[in-house]
Amino acid sequence: MKFDPASQIQDLEQFGEFGGVNPAITDSATFTFMQAKTMLETFQGEAEGCFLYSRHWNPSNKYLADAMAAMEGTEAAWVTASGMGAITSAILQLVDTADHIVASRTCYGGTYAFLMNYLPKFKIDVTFVDITNLDEVKAAMRDNTKIVYTETMTNPMLQISDIPELAEIAHSKDAKLMVDNTFTPMMVTPAKFGADVVVYSMTKFVNGKNDCVSGAICGSVEYISSLIDVNNGTAMLLGPVLDPLRSSNILKNLHTLHIRMKQHSSNAMYLAKNLKKIGLDVLYPGMEEHPDHATMKKLMNPEFGFGGMIAIDVKTAENAAAVMEMMEADGVGYLAVSLGYFKTLFSNSGKSTSSEVPEEEQKSMGMSEGLIRFSVGLDNDIERTYQKIKKCLVELKLI
Ligand SMILES: *Cc1c(COP(=O)(O)O)cnc(C)c1O
């Protein structure tokens, strides 16, 4: 049967304490026990369903985590105070000193900086590869490789990872495949293709309101339990826990994610096609000429479309600055990093979200200094938005 992430969430029955249709917010750091024995069992991880302390579990966080696990088709999940909190905890749980990671060279700037600059402290070696080149991935694998790390859709080139193939490569060496699915919630379900761990910045599409940062880690019960083990769990000991007030808000927003993704996708497709028609260089996985279009079609849950992210190339950083400033003044959206917001956001990748990636690497991934990444909003009249963008491009003589 077809896996439908939206129905998975819809089928959850999570009620408030007094039958509220939204689960109650548990505004407590600690939890009381009737019997001392149960407290000890909870510490030892032996008492089912008992809450001990909110850095470990809070009922509000559990509702959201259960909904994320349902959406991803994983056994369990845990929610974090940021996407980076999720990514760093998820990685550190799986590696020891002297281990090795194979990672996509086009991953999120913060993730890239963590892998490149931070992990060497622990003598953990990372090989960066073109994740769409499976021979390069295979050749990079070593006996001590513990993780193959990628993003379903990479930033900012919008490459698509062939998740089933990568899972096979990782598993043949007893490594785990970890996938950041931030750009493609509902559109792609990585665990169904063999990903062992799926991480999220919920800051983006999942929450969709740009009012907080948050993250999630989805995986097996065994793995999630190891993360929050009181003696050696990375999440438990480093403590990047999400606030339960935020959790309850994000859960409500998650219930409209399927509608939002469809609108983001159809708006992005409209802009991509029309901007291409007037002669602009456009990157969008929904277009047949995109190098990873076929891979995307193989992976996608089709009703959610090809996503809300497009990139256009206006050749120079100066052009990019001029067009972004004019688009902001004309009400196309905001010059801002981040994505998945109800309004359109745009930024010049080389001067913002990929600025942690050295210029050499930017060049080798084929990234132009004039690349503008758009997170296309939920605009009701996308033709009107398109006309505004076109006017800016014409006035600046870019088309
Ligand atoms: C934003 C982002 C992150 C980091 O998430 P934060 O919530 O900002 O910590 C990680 N991966 C991707 C793909 C992102 O877009």
Side-chain angles (χ1 to χ4, degrees):
M1 214 179 68
K2 175 172 110 59
F3 182 82
D4 175 11
S7 302
Q8 295 293 314
I9 293 173
Q10 191 193 325
D11 287 350
L12 290 170
E13 292 190 349
Q14 302 175 321
F15 296 110
E17 225 172 332
F18 302 101
V21 294
N22 289 311
I25 301 172
T26 301
D27 202 16
S28 286
T30 194
F31 298 84
T32 184
F33 287 82
M34 303 307 283
Q35 292 179 314
K37 182 169 147 285
T38 324
M39 181 180 274
L40 179 63
E41 286 167 0
T42 308
F43 255 101
Q44 291 169 340
E46 289 160 6
E48 269 296 302
C50 282
F51 293 95
L52 177 72
Y53 186 64
S54 281
R55 175 156 41 78
H56 181 250
W57 264 129
N58 172 289
S60 302
N61 289 2
K62 184 83 169 73
Y63 288 125
L64 177 59
D66 286 349
M68 290 299 290
M71 175 170 90
E72 289 307 317
T74 56
E75 289 174 356
W78 200 74
V79 292
T80 58
S82 69
M84 285 310 295
I87 292 162
T88 54
S89 300
I91 291 174
L92 288 172
Q93 189 62 27
L94 293 176
V95 285
D96 285 323
T97 299
D99 279 342
H100 175 244
I101 296 173
V102 174
S104 166
R105 76 157 62 99
T106 54
C107 58
Y108 175 75
T111 308
Y112 185 87
F114 176 72
L115 295 169
M116 177 83 182
N117 307 329
Y118 200 91
L119 286 184
K121 269 191 199 189
F122 305 108
K123 308 255 184 301
I124 294 163
D125 212 11
V126 183
T127 307
F128 292 96
V129 294
D130 172 354
I131 206 72
T132 61
N133 181 343
L134 297 173
D135 290 332
E136 196 181 333
V137 179
K138 271 182 212 152
M141 297 297 289
R142 301 181 193 163
D143 290 340
N144 61 341
T145 305
K146 292 291 160 64
I147 302 173
V148 174
Y149 187 94
T150 191
E151 296 171 358
T152 307
M153 184 185 284
T154 69
N155 177 52
M157 303 302 289
L158 312 180
Q159 289 176 310
I160 306 297
S161 296
D162 194 332
I163 297 168
E165 295 285 343
L166 292 170
E168 207 177 303
I169 296 172
H171 297 159
S172 73
K173 289 279 185 183
D174 281 333
K176 303 284 188 206
L177 176 63
M178 190 177 294
V179 179
D180 180 337
N181 204 39
T182 299
F183 281 31
T184 48
M186 294 200 167
M187 294 162 49
V188 178
T189 310
K192 292 288 159 206
F193 296 108
D196 302 284
V197 179
V198 181
V199 287
Y200 269 99
S201 168
M202 296 197 293
T203 312
K204 318 295 169 51
F205 290 102
V206 169
N207 185 45
K209 303 296 183 289
N210 251 303
D211 52 6
C212 69
V213 291
S214 53
I217 307 167
C218 309
S220 66
V221 166
E222 189 191 357
Y223 174 69
I224 299 297
S225 304
S226 75
L227 272 171
I228 55 169
D229 185 287
V230 294
N231 292 306
N232 52 27
T234 310
M236 183 63 185
L237 299 179
L238 299 188
V241 67
L242 182 57
D243 186 278
L245 292 172
R246 283 299 184 189
S247 277
S248 83
N249 272 319
I250 297 167
L251 179 61
K252 284 173 277 189
N253 292 333
L254 183 62
H255 281 276
T256 59
L257 178 61
H258 58 298
I259 303 170
R260 291 187 278 115
M261 288 316 293
K262 289 174 190 175
Q263 183 78 1
H264 283 301
S265 289
S266 69
N267 281 351
M269 181 67 106
Y270 187 92
L271 289 186
K273 279 192 171 155
N274 285 285
L275 291 171
K276 164 113 213 243
K277 255 187 222 154
I278 54 174
L280 222 57
D281 280 337
V282 180
L283 273 176
Y284 186 59
M287 301 205 298
E288 270 167 29
E289 56 273 30
H290 187 282
D292 299 332
H293 180 71
T295 311
M296 187 63 193
K297 283 190 90 159
K298 178 171 90 171
L299 302 183
M300 72 196 289
N301 298 315
E303 68 264 44
F304 303 105
F306 290 89
M309 306 302 294
I310 64 173
I312 64 171
D313 183 3
V314 293
K315 309 298 178 223
T316 68
E318 292 70 39
N319 286 345
V323 73
M324 291 191 303
E325 285 167 16
M326 193 179 276
M327 287 194 299
E328 180 160 72
D330 288 0
V332 172
Y334 298 139
L335 198 183
V337 296
S338 198
L339 52 124
Y341 187 43
F342 43 77
K343 288 204 180 209
T344 297
L345 303 178
F346 37 80
S347 55
N348 177 210
S349 298
K351 302 275 180 237
S352 58
T353 56
S354 293
S355 57
E356 293 97 331
V357 180
E359 243 169 69
E360 286 288 290
E361 280 281 320
Q362 293 188 14
K363 282 215 184 84
S364 76
M365 64 168 94
M367 201 179 112
S368 153
E369 63 159 292
L371 196 78
I372 303 176
R373 182 189 79 178
F374 284 73
S375 167
V376 180
L378 299 176
D379 310 24
N380 185 48
D381 184 352
I382 195 67
E383 163 67 16
R384 173 169 159 267
T385 307
Y386 164 68
Q387 290 300 339
K388 287 183 186 178
I389 299 172
K390 187 174 159 190
K391 178 188 148 279
C392 298
L393 294 166
V394 169
E395 273 183 37
L396 293 165
K397 302 193 165 50
L398 293 174
I399 49 167

